Amino acid sequence: MNHPGQESTGQALPPLPAPPGAGPATLTPGPGPSAGVSGPPPTPPRLAWGADEGPLQVASVWTERVPGQGEDAEPFLAHHWESGQGMLAVFDGSGGAGAAPAWQAPDGASRTSAWVGARTARLATECWLHDVTRDRQDVEPQSLHAYLKYFLHKAPQRQSKIGGTMRRQLPTTLAGVHYQIAPGAAEIELRPLWAGDSRAYALLPESGLHVLTRDHTRESDALELLRSDPPMTNLVCADRDFDIDTQHLITPLPCVLVAATDGFFGYVHTPADFEHLLLRTLEQAGSAAEWAHLLRREVESYTADDASLALLCLGHPDFGDLRARFTPRLKRLTDQVSWGRPSALTTAPDPAADPHETAAHVKAWQDQSWQAYRHGYESYLPPPPEELV
């Protein structure tokens, strides 16, 4: 296996096919600002891409909340047909810890340490997967960690005069899933890999959405994390030690694998709402590309952050079968998330209503919804560190 710093002479890992002019690394910016001071603000750049390749359907979404200021890297998706393995991953540059400028683009635009870190981590992950796949090596977090450290060391960075425990060089989250499937198998082998508070999931037709990663924060309850924004205790960076966490899972086929940054799942009312978003847009779509566009439109309507997501669907003969398999689950989940839902979340606020009473009502409903949903959602959740042997 090639190690960071050694030359790789093998063939590049073939990416999933993409329509002409589009692909996981293709950005499609919106129109620039009109001439004159009174022109409309620019449309945030975005990417919505999908492809249907028989038993493999893929989709990715990437958006910037503020044009030119986004720090999520483009989602990563790759499948190696010969070996039946691949990976999907997302990267969210940590703007608070990495706000200092680190690189100036040829057009003069200044890029932050977080921006550079997320894209460097994406490149390192892609090169790591290429070498792991080519050399048929076991998937281990230590080897991915080595690639990340090497690439981050080589990336542009500036030493900031501002110190502090929260400051990082090239800080970013990473959340992905490496998978391996044998021909004719009824199960799939999964290896989630993560650092920070981006997440990876498995979405199953019968049991719904299951989180595969545990946020590296002191608070781990998914509902409480929607109500607060605790600092991360671990994330990929160039100047301090970090860990790549993992677990090993076997899940049934068919399944959908999902990786997302908190711009997708961190601004909904309950954890169940994120699954409902995925299934509701799936039901409305006629193809993986249309699913991606619907997800992009939906997330832009509610998020207050950059948002990126990667989806990979395995074991469905075509997109119609994928959609049909999840229809019963969507019906059950719709009933669950709608039952008792406060009108304050679905209609314009009543000016005569007591805001404290409304907030208490919403909180009570969130608690009830979470307790009904939590067991299935957390059934693949890794144990907290103190429970590891």
Side-chain angles (χ1 to χ4, degrees), residues 40-60:
T43 302
R46 72 279 299 264
L47 159 72
W49 172 85
D52 301 326
E53 292 296 319
L56 184 71
Q57 295 88 35
V58 294
S60 66

Side-chain angles (χ1 to χ4, degrees), residues 124-140:
T125 301
E126 183 173 1
C127 293
W128 170 79
L129 180 65
H130 166 271
D131 288 351
V132 164
T133 306
R134 183 198 60 189
D135 297 331
R136 301 295 194 269
Q137 295 292 320
D138 291 337
V139 176
E140 295 296 340

Side-chain angles (χ1 to χ4, degrees), residues 37-360:
V37 180
S38 61
T43 302
R46 72 279 299 264
L47 159 72
W49 172 85
D52 301 326
E53 292 296 319
L56 184 71
Q57 295 88 35
V58 294
S60 66
V61 178
W62 176 90
T63 70
E64 282 188 330
R65 186 64 179 170
V66 178
Q69 302 299 314
E71 289 169 333
D72 283 16
E74 296 83 357
F76 174 65
L77 281 162
H79 177 77
H80 190 243
W81 292 99
E82 181 183 351
S83 63
Q85 64 179 303
M87 186 170 182
L88 66 163
V90 294
F91 313 84
D92 180 1
S94 181
W103 177 68
Q104 188 171 45
D107 64 0
S110 178
R111 301 300 186 185
T112 67
S113 183
W115 189 97
V116 175
R119 283 149 182 82
T120 303
R122 187 192 189 281
L123 176 61
T125 301
E126 183 173 1
C127 293
W128 170 79
L129 180 65
H130 166 271
D131 288 351
V132 164
T133 306
R134 183 198 60 189
D135 297 331
R136 301 295 194 269
Q137 295 292 320
D138 291 337
V139 176
E140 295 296 340
Q142 295 87 348
S143 63
L144 176 57
H145 182 276
Y147 274 70
L148 290 163
K149 290 290 286 186
Y150 174 80
F151 277 80
L152 289 167
H153 176 70
K154 297 294 185 180
Q157 51 184 300
R158 298 177 186 172
Q159 295 299 322
S160 174
K161 296 180 180 179
I162 303 175
T165 59
M166 300 301 294
R167 186 68 60 178
R168 298 286 189 277
Q169 289 287 329
L170 312 184
T172 182
T173 71
L174 182 160
V177 185
H178 178 277
Y179 61 88
Q180 175 78 59
I181 179 173
E187 296 177 324
I188 182 171
E189 183 178 0
L190 304 179
R191 176 75 81 167
L193 297 152
W194 76 96
D197 62 358
S198 295
R199 296 177 189 170
Y201 305 86
L203 179 61
L204 304 178
E206 293 298 324
S207 52
L209 191 67
H210 306 275
V211 67
L212 307 179
T213 56
R214 179 182 287 272
D215 289 11
H216 287 135
T217 55
R218 298 198 182 280
E219 175 60 69
S220 61
D221 182 281
L223 179 58
E224 290 305 318
L225 286 167
L226 288 176
R227 295 168 172 165
S228 62
D229 187 20
M232 284 177 278
T233 58
N234 176 58
L235 76 167
V236 176
C237 61
D239 59 330
R240 306 197 189 190
D241 291 336
F242 64 89
D243 296 316
I244 300 298
D245 221 335
T246 192
Q247 65 167 327
H248 181 256
L249 298 166
I250 304 292
T251 61
L253 286 171
C255 78
V256 178
L257 301 178
V258 183
T261 62
D262 62 355
F264 258 95
F265 60 77
Y267 294 87
V268 293
H269 296 297
T270 71
D273 283 347
F274 178 52
E275 181 188 346
H276 193 252
L277 167 69
L278 296 173
L279 297 186
R280 177 166 45 82
T281 50
L282 170 61
E283 183 73 13
Q284 297 167 358
S287 65
E290 189 175 354
W291 192 11
H293 281 282
L294 289 169
L295 284 166
R296 189 269 303 167
R297 187 176 66 187
E298 289 281 343
V299 74
E300 288 181 341
S301 73
Y302 69 80
T303 192
D305 198 357
D306 308 322
S308 52
L309 174 143
L311 284 162
L312 188 140
C313 314
L314 291 159
H316 305 89
D318 52 45
F319 191 81
D321 179 80
L322 165 67
R323 188 177 57 227
R325 283 179 179 266
F326 280 98
T327 297
R329 172 66 185 176
L330 174 60
K331 291 179 179 177
R332 295 194 301 270
L333 187 62
T334 299
D335 291 340
Q336 181 178 327
V337 300
S338 300
W339 187 83
R341 194 180 192 93
S343 60
L345 301 181
T346 57
T347 61
D350 180 0
D354 181 344
H356 298 290
E357 184 177 330
T358 299

